[in-house]
Amino acid sequence: MSHQHADQRGSDLRSALGRLLSVGDATFADEYWGRRPLLSRAEELPTTFDDLLTAVAVDELVSHRGVRTPFARMAKDGALLDKSEFTASGGFGAEMADQLDSTGVLAAFADGHTLVLQGLHRLWPPLIDFVRDLVDDLGHPAQANAYITPASSTGFSPHYDVHDVFVVQISGEKRWILHPPVHTHPLASQPWSDRRTAVEERAREAPALDTVLRPGDALYLPRGWIHSAQALGDTTIHLTLGVASFSRYDVAQLVLGTLQEDAALREPLPAGIDPADPDAALHHVDRVVDDLAAALDRLRLDPAARARIAEKLGRRFADVTRPAPVNPLRTVSFMNSLDENSCVRWRQGLIARTRSDERRIHLELKDKTISFPIEASASIIQLQTRKPCRLEDLAGLDAASAVVVARRLLREGVLVPGP
């Protein structure tokens, strides 16, 4: 990568998202996100992906980690292999029958089946950390799957996904064929199989992109783009980083959910209505649409109601993402030696809201609320900036009080030991 290219991209080089892009974050957001694919060659990217996954790591996951279905599946020519063909009991002390059987995986793989390792952001430490960083960069939930495909095999027929995807080629070469959507920005409830005929017809047209990914290449695909892939030559491994982006429709659903408080919209339709009569049905549809427009106009003028909708969006994000894991043993040991010189930081990805009354500040988490004397307000707000902080530097607290507050927040998994 040229020095000029590095300067143009600036701080992007340090982010998880920046590692996937041959353009800057702002350019990606403005010109590609949700709009069109972006192919980034290895020589255009700041780093390799060897730290995330390798062929050796795949063998370890299959043979030594006790991975269970549905964290793994196998497919060939678009058809899934019955899990009984590649899973078995782990034997004495690990009798669960749905664990990957390395011999079964070997047989199926040698027969041309693609192995899919799903949810690696929950199983493999490098991807746990990387995906957590990617969620922070994008502001949308993300996951990681790996596709391990035998030589010259096609794992899945042309299809589209209902989430955005970053493809990262780990080893081998794979040919990717892309076609524009037949249904733009599909929702999770609108899978490609509902439009199978249209997808198959589009896949027979001239592709928008026909390319070979080599180790270190990355490809961004907005949801809805039709794609298929074929391994070339040796075994290939690629990661798919799926991003379940929140949409304007998600926000609209939250907006409509607030209208259950509108009495006019809760009124029953008249008794004796004949829904099969088009004219009668249209009359009531017109009335409801008019009432809905009036309700939305009132909502537009109510900042407090809109703020509550924004809060619900934040809660939904918290429901479908996980903060970075904590280390229980290290944390307890750290708590036992806590003093004013100790350094702590906010747990990455942890979402919390604060509210105060005259006497206490309340920290509202996904599953609980933690309360402190009001004197701790400034220190908690300081910690929420996510910058590492020594306890002696916490605002508004003496050393002894800072230790008490930090110990409680460490115990509740809000703080973690700092660098």
Side-chain angles (χ1 to χ4, degrees):
M1 183 176 64
S2 69
H3 178 68
Q4 179 183 9
H5 185 66
D7 286 345
Q8 288 173 341
R9 296 194 53 207
S11 62
D12 295 349
L13 302 183
R14 299 180 61 89
S15 70
L17 179 61
R19 291 185 61 182
L20 302 170
L21 305 176
S22 56
V23 299
D25 291 2
T27 299
F28 173 73
D30 292 341
E31 299 181 15
Y32 294 94
W33 174 248
R35 293 178 175 85
R36 58 192 175 109
L38 172 64
L39 174 62
S40 301
R41 294 299 185 188
E43 59 270 19
E44 300 174 306
L45 297 174
T47 65
T48 68
F49 300 108
D50 294 343
D51 58 316
L52 299 184
L53 193 69
T54 62
V56 172
V58 170
D59 272 342
E60 179 179 338
L61 283 160
V62 169
S63 303
H64 300 291
R65 292 288 181 133
V67 174
R68 304 172 62 186
T69 57
F71 282 99
R73 57 191 173 119
M74 301 196 75
K76 181 179 180 181
D77 298 328
L80 290 175
L81 182 65
D82 189 277
K83 68 179 183 179
S84 63
E85 298 289 330
F86 59 94
T87 61
S89 167
F92 177 68
E95 290 86 354
M96 294 78 72
D98 60 348
Q99 298 175 72
L100 283 184
D101 171 45
S102 57
T103 303
V105 172
L106 169 61
F109 191 74
D111 191 42
H113 287 79
T114 289
L115 170 65
V116 185
L117 296 174
Q118 303 187 139
L120 289 178
H121 60 295
R122 294 290 299 133
L123 297 176
W124 191 242
L127 286 169
I128 292 172
D129 296 337
F130 183 81
V131 172
R132 180 61 259 176
D133 291 342
L134 185 62
V135 170
D136 287 347
D137 292 341
L138 288 172
H140 296 273
Q143 65 172 18
N145 296 342
Y147 291 76
I148 303 94
T149 306
S152 304
S153 296
T154 301
F156 295 90
S157 56
H159 65 285
Y160 67 73
D161 295 321
V162 294
H163 52 265
D164 294 63
V165 169
F166 291 92
V167 178
V168 177
Q169 190 68 24
I170 299 298
S171 67
E173 296 184 355
K174 186 166 285 189
R175 179 189 180 192
W176 285 79
I177 300 175
L178 276 56
H179 292 84
V182 296
H183 184 62
T184 306
H185 306 312
L187 301 174
S189 59
Q190 299 172 324
W192 78 273
S193 54
D194 290 350
R195 295 171 171 79
R196 185 182 300 272
T197 300
V199 168
E200 292 172 348
E201 291 176 352
R202 179 61 55 85
R204 287 192 287 269
E205 298 175 2
L209 180 66
D210 185 343
T211 190
V212 174
L213 293 190
R214 299 176 176 86
D217 292 346
L219 173 66
Y220 165 69
L221 282 176
R223 70 181 193 263
W225 274 74
I226 298 165
H227 55 278
S228 62
Q230 181 181 23
L232 304 176
D234 295 333
T235 295
T236 77
I237 302 172
H238 77 265
L239 283 171
T240 62
L241 304 168
V243 183
S245 56
F246 287 113
S247 68
R248 295 167 65 89
Y249 183 76
D250 292 318
V251 177
Q253 285 184 306
L254 294 175
V255 170
L256 291 174
T258 67
L259 300 184
Q260 61 186 335
E261 303 302 322
D262 192 289
L265 290 173
R266 295 200 308 271
E267 287 183 14
L269 296 178
I273 183 176
D274 182 5
D277 181 346
D279 292 334
L282 181 60
H283 169 73
H284 295 293
V285 169
D286 287 343
R287 287 194 57 192
V288 170
V289 169
D290 290 343
D291 289 343
L292 179 60
L296 289 173
D297 195 52
R298 290 191 294 273
L299 177 63
R300 182 177 62 84
L301 301 174
D302 188 346
R306 284 181 284 155
R308 288 193 292 272
I309 294 170
E311 183 176 345
K312 288 182 179 180
L313 182 63
R315 289 177 181 171
R316 180 173 291 186
F317 179 76
D319 286 341
V320 296
T321 59
R322 298 175 65 97
V326 298
N327 298 306
L329 301 188
R330 181 192 174 202
T331 302
V332 169
S333 176
F334 182 77
M335 288 166 54
N336 290 338
S337 60
L338 206 62
D339 61 27
E340 67 273 14
N341 294 314
S342 301
C343 183
V344 296
R345 61 180 175 84
W346 195 265
R347 182 180 173 189
Q348 184 185 8
L350 182 73
I351 299 172
R353 297 182 181 276
T354 57
R355 61 178 176 84
S356 303
D357 53 39
E358 293 181 357
R359 301 174 57 187
R360 301 184 72 78
I361 181 171
H362 307 281
L363 196 60
E364 297 179 339
L365 307 175
K366 176 181 175 181
D367 55 353
K368 57 190 170 185
T369 298
I370 311 169
S371 299
F372 295 92
I374 195 66
E375 291 79 12
S377 297
S379 62
I380 289 175
I381 293 171
Q382 178 183 354
L383 290 166
Q384 282 187 298
T385 64
R386 291 169 165 71
K387 296 179 180 179
C389 181
R390 300 175 74 87
L391 299 194
E392 64 182 358
D393 297 327
L394 282 179
L397 295 176
D398 58 40
S401 298
V403 168
V404 171
V405 170
R407 180 175 285 115
R408 174 76 187 282
L409 291 173
L410 285 160
R411 184 185 182 90
E412 299 286 357
V414 174
L415 299 181
V416 296

